[in-house]
Every structure is written in C-alpha cells, then in structure tokens.
Amino acid sequence: MLTDRETYLALEKHFEEIRPLHLRALFAEDPARGERFAAEGAGLYLDYSKHRVTTETIGRLAALAGDCGLRARIDAMFRGDRINVTENRAAWHTQLRAGTNPDVEAVLARMAGFATRLRAQSQIRNVVNIGIGGSDLGPVMAYEALRHYSKREFTFRFVSNVDGTDFAECTRDLHPEETLFIVASKTFTTQETMANAEAARQWVKAANLPVAEHFVAVSTAETEVRKFGIDTANMFGFWDWVGGRYSMDSAIGLSTMIAIGPESFREMLAGFRAMDEHFRTAPFEQNLPVLMGLLAVWYVNFFGCETIAVLPYDQYLKRFPAYLQQLTMESNGKRVTRDGVPVKYQTGPVYWGEPGTNGQHSFYQLIHQGTRLIPCDFIGFIETLNPVDGQHDLLMANVFAQSKALAFGQDSAEPHRVFPGNRPSSTILAQRLTPAILGALVALYEHSVFTQAAVWEINPFDQFGVELGKVLAKQVLPALRGEAELKDPDSSTLALIRRYRGK
Ligand code: F6P
C-alpha cells in the first residue's frame, strides 16, 4: 500500500524538513526560484515556485509516482487498456482527440455537417441542451468559456436540474418553433434528464409541432433513444469507453460545436491533444499534469489539506470550478483501492472556487488569515478578449498580488493585521483564452486527476457513490405520492415524508 512504500516513507521524513521552512526563506536563498520552478506545455505556463517544495521534494514526489507505476498507467490509458477495472472498460477519452480513430472521426464529421447546416438556416434560433453531470457541466462550461467565439444570433440554454423551475425558466421566453432540444445522456435512462426531455416533448407537442424536427439525441444507447421517439438518424453516438465527466470533447459537445462552429471545435480538440502529448512524453519533473497532481498529493497526504481552490481570473471561465468539481471529486472521491482494500490515507480533496476578483471580496479572507492551509490554482491570461480601458492590467495585477500576499504575507504589531504567508499557490498563465487553450486546460486537470489516482491506487473512472441515492429516491417516490408505504426503521425519513404529505 502507498504508505508502506519506501518512496513514501522517505517523503514523510523529508516533509519534516520542509514543514518549518517559510516561502520567504526559500525565495531568499535561491534568487532564480521564480524561473526555475516553472514548466511549460501545450501553450500553458505553470509557475509552481510559490509551493512549499524544494528541488528535492519534486524529485522525491516524482520518484513516488514512478514507484506507483504512473508511467505504465499512462501507457495503458493511451493504449485503451481496460483500466476502469471495476466496470471492465477502457477510459480512452484521449482517443476522442487523437485524430486517428475512424469511429470518432465519422461522428465528428456527422456533427460538423449538422452544426454547419444548423448555423446556416434561419428557423431554429435556440439550442437547449438537456443533460446532467458530465452531459451538462462540460457543455455549459465550454459554452461560457468560448462565448466570445460563439454564434451570437443563437440563444444557448442548458437544463439539468429535475426541479421543474429549471425547465420553466429556461423555456419561458423561447418559442417552440425556433427551438431545438439536444437530449444528452450517455445511458439515456438518467431520471432527471428523462423527466426534462419529457417536459420538452410536451412543450413542443403543445405548440402542435412535430417532435422529430425539434429533437436530437447524444447517447451511447441507441435502443433507449429509439424508445423515447427520437429518430436514430438524429442521434450522435459515443462509446462506453468515454466516461461522463470525460465526455465534453465527444458528441456530448454538440452544443459547443453548434455554438463555435466545427473549425473552432477542431481547434479545441487540438489543444486537448497537445496536452495529451505533453502528459504522455514529458519527464515527470517537467510535466504539468504530473506536477499538479503530485503537488495535490503533497498537500493532501503530508500537510493534511482538505481542499484546493481553483481561481480563474477570467469571467469566461466562471463555470470552470463547477466543471472541475465533477471531474475531480466524482473521479477521486474513493475510499478503497483498485483491488477493493480500504485505504489508510486521504484521497481526493474538495475542489472549489469562483472567478477572481469576485472571490477576493468573499472567501479570500479565510485563505489569507484562516486556520486552514488551502493551496490555490490561479489561472490568468496575458491578453484579454475584451479590452476595456486598462481593466485587464488591473485584473492581472490582482492575480499576481494575491499569490504574492499568500506566499510572503505581512508582519504587523497588530495581531489582526498579520498575514502569516507561506500559503501555497500555482499560477497558470496562457496567452489568451482560445478553443485550443481551453482544451489544454481541461486535459491538464483530467491528467492531474489521473496522476493523483495512480498514486492513491484508486480507480478514478467509476462512480458507484452516486448509485445509492438514486435507488433510494425510487423507493421514496411512491411513499411521497401516497402510492405505497415506506416500511423502514428510519423514523427521520418517515417523519419528513409525513410532513411533506401534510399528514
Ligand atoms: O451522476 C452520475 C452520472 O452517472 C455521471 O457520472 C454522469 O455524468 C451523469 O450521471 C449523467 O449520466 P448520463 O449521461 O448517462 O445521463
């Protein structure tokens, strides 16, 4: 097990040497630190100098990754081996952007034909993606991130929550004859998505419109799609080797392609591919996803950190933290190893965040002066897509000021004004937010999550933790509706149900 490995035990010893050191001292003794602790790949620049590490730490973390078989695991993923052992599937999302898989290319070509036709016609004006989890978060995030490149004559909306309010508010100002629904669901059985798809079908029918002309499906489940009444000629497929949270660059990205056009979608795939290549080939010490994954391990398992904040200084990335929540926590929120043995160490941390500078006026207080150590990922761009009177300099001055304040702090005679500093952060910089850079950024986090999972010896590709709640909801529903009695010793739930029913 991880904690018995020699490389891990050596890191525990090394941690005792690092723990008392302040970043002020680390910078003072090495004037080149700010440039030495940096790496570049796929158009992204990673400054990790403001982390509580030395060259020795990075070497030891890389040795741990080697010991845990990261190299072999990377090769297995890219080969399409069934590394999702608990579901006996490959996790081959890298194929989606490799540019070499005939099945993938055929779907991309169909998507491109459809998107091009849709973008050229004038009847449909609104595109509504109905999906949840990976069938929603990626499409929403990518649409928001790439809005600058999107077809502005169209309205894009995303319905996910089974709360009827989501559907009602999404459609209240839309005309059915101008609206196309994309029902996005890998399994085509997800309760929330099917309920919203049914609501959409009724909404279209109520306007006396032919359902077939207002629906397309994105799914791996042809039979289910047909059952729902969508012509499979209007279905875009993918494969069981694409996990939901790894699917935004598959047909699940149909709304993205309609928004930005097939060419820009291809650019996004090229960005993913560039990061894949970097991950596959760069030595661990210069490998962005490996470094970020290992730094997470360093803070979680040695410093005892419980959360990592992701702070994009770009309004277009406002849904990026929400997207990352599923990617990171559905992947690495695991308590047993690949072989089913309970782990004796911490695994996936909580990822959270908000776009800067909004977060600064909200929760940064705790990051600067609270009792917890919260490593931060700052993400910024050298050029803005919307130059507004010097505001970009102001925005970026804030990024650099925040990481500086966190690292170096400030002394004061007044205890309330002391900033202890020594609070770690990464800064990820790119030239400008393009489709390719977005692809690279997403792949960076995908592979960072993969690196963490390799070290923790867990399977990042299953998600059994979401099942129990789904099963219980099916049992509770008839009780809520008074169709059946819930026979259960759980008096809390019984009392809540009685109260809900007004009895
Ligand atoms: O929440 C569990 C989950 O299976 C996610 O992994 C997935 O992204 C989401 O539900 C949606 O699933 P589907 O695309 O099959 O509707």
Side-chain angles (χ1 to χ4, degrees):
M1 196 167 266
L2 170 67
T3 42
D4 301 325
R5 291 182 187 279
E6 297 247 316
T7 45
Y8 188 92
L9 298 171
L11 265 163
E12 272 184 336
K13 263 201 193 153
H14 174 70
F15 171 65
E16 293 309 324
E17 292 159 25
I18 294 293
R19 196 202 334 228
L21 300 181
H22 199 288
L23 279 168
R24 287 176 199 152
L26 292 175
F27 272 88
E29 77 198 20
D30 177 4
R33 183 178 170 93
E35 278 155 39
R36 274 201 318 113
F37 287 77
E40 261 178 276
L44 302 182
Y45 175 83
L46 170 70
D47 171 1
Y48 63 98
S49 63
K50 294 190 185 83
H51 279 290
R52 294 173 65 175
V53 294
T54 59
T55 310
E56 184 184 341
T57 320
I58 298 299
R60 289 192 179 282
L61 285 167
L64 176 70
D67 208 5
C68 295
L70 178 60
R71 171 58 54 209
R73 303 208 73 77
I74 293 174
D75 293 344
M77 174 167 72
F78 278 88
R79 259 198 321 265
D81 290 5
R82 294 175 181 235
I83 55 172
N84 178 356
V85 282
T86 51
E87 296 182 309
N88 191 27
R89 288 178 188 163
W92 216 11
H93 38 284
T94 50
Q95 266 306 275
L96 295 170
R97 54 260 192 166
T100 51
N101 183 309
D103 295 339
V104 170
E105 293 309 308
V107 174
L108 281 172
R110 281 188 62 226
M111 286 166 66
F114 181 78
T116 305
R117 280 195 302 281
L118 196 71
R119 285 163 63 87
Q121 56 76 57
S122 54
Q123 189 213 322
I124 297 292
R125 278 322 199 207
N126 315 312
V127 175
V128 179
N129 187 84
I130 298 179
I132 198 163
S135 301
D136 167 69
L137 289 161
V140 184
M141 182 278 287
Y143 169 65
E144 291 295 345
L146 301 176
R147 213 175 174 140
H148 179 78
Y149 304 90
S150 72
K151 192 168 170 67
R152 301 289 190 164
E153 300 90 326
F154 279 28
T155 297
F156 290 88
R157 299 260 166 93
F158 300 84
V159 179
S160 53
N161 200 328
V162 75
D163 182 343
T165 298
D166 203 7
F167 182 79
E169 284 295 335
C170 160
T171 48
R172 63 180 291 280
D173 59 345
L174 304 184
H175 296 293
E177 63 271 26
E178 295 182 344
T179 304
L180 175 78
F181 289 98
I182 301 174
V183 185
S185 175
K186 182 175 168 180
T187 55
F188 232 73
T189 54
T190 304
Q191 219 181 27
E192 293 90 333
T193 301
M194 290 304 110
N196 280 320
E198 188 50 40
R201 177 158 57 187
Q202 296 308 330
W203 188 74
V204 169
K205 269 190 174 170
N208 285 321
L209 293 165
V211 168
E213 285 173 28
H214 291 267
F215 279 80
V216 297
V218 178
S219 187
T220 57
E222 208 174 312
T223 323
E224 299 292 334
V225 169
R226 208 174 293 124
K227 257 195 243 161
F228 182 84
I230 297 178
D231 186 348
T232 44
N234 294 327
M235 171 183 161
F236 299 88
F238 57 114
W239 307 271
D240 77 346
W241 44 262
V242 183
R245 53 194 175 274
Y246 298 88
S247 67
M248 62 165 274
D249 47 338
S250 71
I252 289 290
L254 183 62
S255 58
T256 315
M257 192 190 272
I258 296 168
I260 65 174
E263 241 175 71
S264 295
F265 195 85
R266 284 273 179 196
E267 281 173 31
M268 183 180 81
L269 296 183
F272 270 99
R273 184 163 63 241
M275 184 53 77
D276 291 345
E277 275 313 286
H278 171 81
F279 181 53
R280 204 174 59 77
T281 57
F284 289 170
E285 278 101 333
Q286 288 148 37
N287 190 312
L288 272 70
V290 172
L291 285 166
M292 285 184 57
L294 290 176
L295 285 165
V297 168
W298 180 233
Y299 290 111
V300 167
N301 300 106
F302 297 91
F303 283 88
C305 295
E306 293 187 337
T307 85
I308 294 177
V310 181
L311 308 163
Y313 277 67
D314 191 299
Q315 189 60 20
Y316 286 126
L317 290 181
K318 66 179 183 192
R319 295 293 287 164
F320 193 60
Y323 171 77
L324 285 186
Q325 284 179 13
Q326 187 196 15
L327 177 64
T328 57
M329 297 196 269
E330 202 172 67
S331 295
N332 283 348
K334 309 288 163 66
R335 52 173 288 286
V336 294
T337 65
R338 291 184 293 266
D339 302 329
V341 181
V343 296
K344 294 196 191 100
Y345 43 85
Q346 295 293 328
T347 61
V350 174
Y351 276 80
W352 59 286
E354 276 289 317
T357 56
N358 304 17
Q360 289 175 206
H361 295 272
S362 162
F363 51 77
Y364 277 36
Q365 166 66 40
L366 185 146
I367 306 182
H368 283 288
Q369 288 189 316
T371 53
R372 294 167 195 283
L373 190 70
I374 302 179
C376 298
D377 292 351
F378 291 98
I379 302 171
F381 298 91
I382 293 165
E383 284 170 48
T384 177
L385 296 169
N386 295 295
V388 178
D389 208 17
Q391 281 187 215
H392 191 62
D393 291 342
L394 190 55
L395 176 73
M396 293 308 289
N398 275 281
V399 185
F400 301 149
Q402 289 298 328
S403 63
K404 186 171 168 57
L406 285 169
F408 301 105
Q410 174 185 272
D411 292 330
S412 171
E414 289 177 58
H416 297 100
R417 295 186 189 274
V418 171
F419 286 70
N422 216 13
R423 296 179 177 221
S425 66
S426 296
T427 302
I428 299 163
L429 274 185
Q431 192 62 33
R432 65 208 297 254
L433 179 53
T434 60
I437 285 297
L438 182 71
L441 203 53
V442 171
L444 168 67
Y445 279 92
E446 286 179 351
H447 299 322
S448 161
V449 163
F450 182 83
T451 300
Q452 295 167 29
V455 173
W456 291 325
E457 300 171 16
I458 56 177
N459 177 9
F461 298 117
D462 62 14
Q463 57 284 316
F464 296 112
V466 303
E467 294 305 328
L468 180 58
K470 291 185 194 173
V471 172
L472 294 183
K474 282 198 183 131
Q475 292 171 14
V476 169
L477 185 64
L480 283 190
R481 290 179 171 162
E483 295 160 2
E485 211 182 316
L486 188 66
K487 291 203 173 53
D488 206 304
D490 165 7
S491 59
S492 161
T493 306
L494 292 178
L496 290 167
I497 292 172
R498 268 200 305 278
R499 203 170 175 87
Y500 177 82
R501 300 200 65 219
K503 294 192 177 147

